Amino acid sequence: METVVLANFIQVLLIIITIALVANKNNTVVAILFSVSSLFLALLYFFNKAPDVALAEIAVGSAIMPLILIISISKQREYVVITHVKDDFVNSLTGEGRKVLQDFADSNNLELKIYDRDIDNIKGIFRERNVDLIIDRSDDNKIYYLRGKKSSLLISKLENKVKNLENIKIIKEEEVETND
Amino acid sequence: MNPILSFIIILIGLYGMVASENIIKSIICFSIIETALILLFLNLGNVGLGDIPIIIDGISNMVDPLPQALMITTIVIGASTTALAFMISIKIFHYYGTLEWDELLEREG
């Protein structure tokens, strides 16, 4: 009899945790609440005479699922930039383009990642990544071109940000269908 | 233990899936519905006042082992479908530049 009372109590607690999870807007807090709710669910499975299912739920629900969630959140927060320009425009911390990009990334809560190596030489590595922006330079070294995907909302925000600057130009490109 | 309490968790998850603004939140609510469904099935399989279904001497009355065998598969499949959904959400973020439902639907329409 005591087990039934305890199980009912835990189930009501689980409903409260689920309401807190649905009401929360911070994704990192949601990951931890999901892990906690998984542990309580495993206890309820055990009270329902299913210890093998409880074992699998502890391993998958409270360890692997929050891990996948945290990894995917951190992957979504990064903004990958590839530069073909060798001068101080983005390579040094005080360069003009670097300042603009850093400001843009901070205001949109993104993590800026700049790679200055040539994409053709190490194609195998960069095929795996989602490149968001490519920096080029015109032939007379006066105008810098920032090329990004036309479909992305972030490139429109960046265009609004740099429309007062003379030497930076945004080019929106359609993404080409690939077979891979 | 009452099946109605599992139903309440399923309904909360359904509300969260429909009403949340972020794609990641919707995927987590989908996962919540799945775990509550597993709890419901185990609850229905817990018949009589039987023991844990492991055959040892002196145990004659045990619960139904079939829902348990099915639900242990559901946990693993659920984890893999959720991982696939997260991967697609990363692709969506790098293509459209946002993960909020209203901004995405605005672009499409």
Side-chain angles (χ1 to χ4, degrees):
Chain A
M1 264 309 119
E2 282 180 0
T3 317
V4 176
V5 176
L6 190 59
N8 277 327
F9 175 70
I10 290 174
Q11 208 155 18
V12 172
L13 199 64
L14 195 64
I15 290 174
I16 296 171
I17 292 174
T18 315
I19 291 174
L21 194 152
V22 169
N24 208 316
K25 281 194 165 31
N26 189 351
N27 279 335
T28 326
V29 179
V30 162
I32 292 172
L33 282 176
F34 184 78
S35 176
V36 171
S37 79
S38 240
L39 283 176
F40 281 117
L41 268 165
L43 202 55
L44 280 175
Y45 296 166
F46 184 73
F47 286 150
N48 275 308
K49 313 274 169 54
D52 47 347
V53 186
L55 212 59
E57 176 71 26
I58 288 174
V60 172
S62 71
I64 295 178
M65 285 286 296
L67 181 72
I68 295 172
L69 180 57
I70 297 288
I71 289 175
S72 71
I73 289 172
S74 66
K75 281 274 177 199
Q76 277 156 4
R77 289 296 98 186
E78 62 187 27
Y79 195 71
V80 181
V81 179
I82 287 185
T83 170
H84 294 164
V85 184
K86 293 279 188 285
D87 62 4
D88 278 350
F89 181 63
V90 287
N91 289 330
S92 80
L93 278 173
T94 52
E96 185 190 8
R98 181 64 171 262
K99 271 182 188 166
V100 168
L101 284 178
Q102 193 69 52
D103 199 21
F104 169 71
D106 288 343
S107 63
N108 282 300
N109 202 7
L110 298 165
E111 189 187 348
L112 188 64
K113 293 207 166 173
I114 296 180
Y115 298 95
D116 59 349
R117 287 167 288 189
D118 198 358
I119 191 168
D120 296 327
N121 294 334
I122 33 177
K123 203 180 262 178
I125 298 171
F126 282 111
R127 274 180 102 83
E128 306 287 322
R129 298 188 179 278
N130 298 300
V131 179
D132 289 305
L133 201 69
I134 298 175
I135 298 177
D136 268 333
R137 191 165 52 176
S138 63
D139 294 332
D140 53 352
N141 294 346
K142 280 183 181 162
I143 301 174
Y144 294 96
Y145 296 115
L146 310 184
R147 293 191 281 137
K149 294 169 196 162
K150 194 182 178 187
S151 57
S152 178
L153 251 167
L154 289 173
I155 196 77
S156 308
K157 288 181 188 169
L158 187 61
E159 193 178 29
N160 271 335
K161 198 172 178 60
V162 300
K163 71 184 169 198
N164 293 330
L165 299 172
E166 294 277 315
N167 56 346
I168 299 176
K169 208 172 176 186
I170 301 272
I171 301 174
K172 296 178 181 178
E173 288 188 355
E174 297 263 5
E175 188 154 278
V176 189
E177 291 276 331
T178 52
N179 288 325
D180 52 25
Chain B
M1 225 171 303
N2 207 334
I4 294 176
L5 294 175
S6 312
F7 270 119
I8 292 173
I9 301 178
I10 292 175
L11 290 179
I12 292 169
L14 202 61
Y15 169 76
M17 217 171 136
V18 174
S20 57
E21 296 164 355
N22 202 317
I23 287 185
I24 294 206
K25 213 36 199 319
S26 294
I27 297 170
I28 293 171
C29 288
F30 172 73
S31 196
I32 287 283
I33 293 176
E34 193 182 81
T35 46
L37 212 56
I38 292 170
L39 181 62
L40 179 66
F41 269 73
L42 290 180
N43 212 342
L44 294 178
N46 187 5
V47 286
L49 285 169
D51 284 317
I52 292 170
I54 300 171
I55 297 176
I56 45 175
D57 287 341
I59 288 186
S60 57
N61 181 23
M62 53 178 68
V63 299
D64 192 2
L66 181 64
Q68 304 185 2
L70 293 178
M71 286 312 116
I72 206 165
T73 333
T74 311
I75 289 176
V76 178
I77 293 175
S80 48
T81 47
T82 313
L84 183 70
F86 279 137
M87 192 275 287
I88 294 174
S89 76
I90 293 176
K91 282 284 176 195
I92 287 174
F93 182 76
H94 283 283
Y95 191 79
Y96 289 112
T98 177
L99 274 183
E100 308 292 315
W101 279 117
D102 48 352
E103 290 178 1
L104 279 171
L105 293 175
E106 219 170 79
R107 280 199 74 83
E108 288 299 305

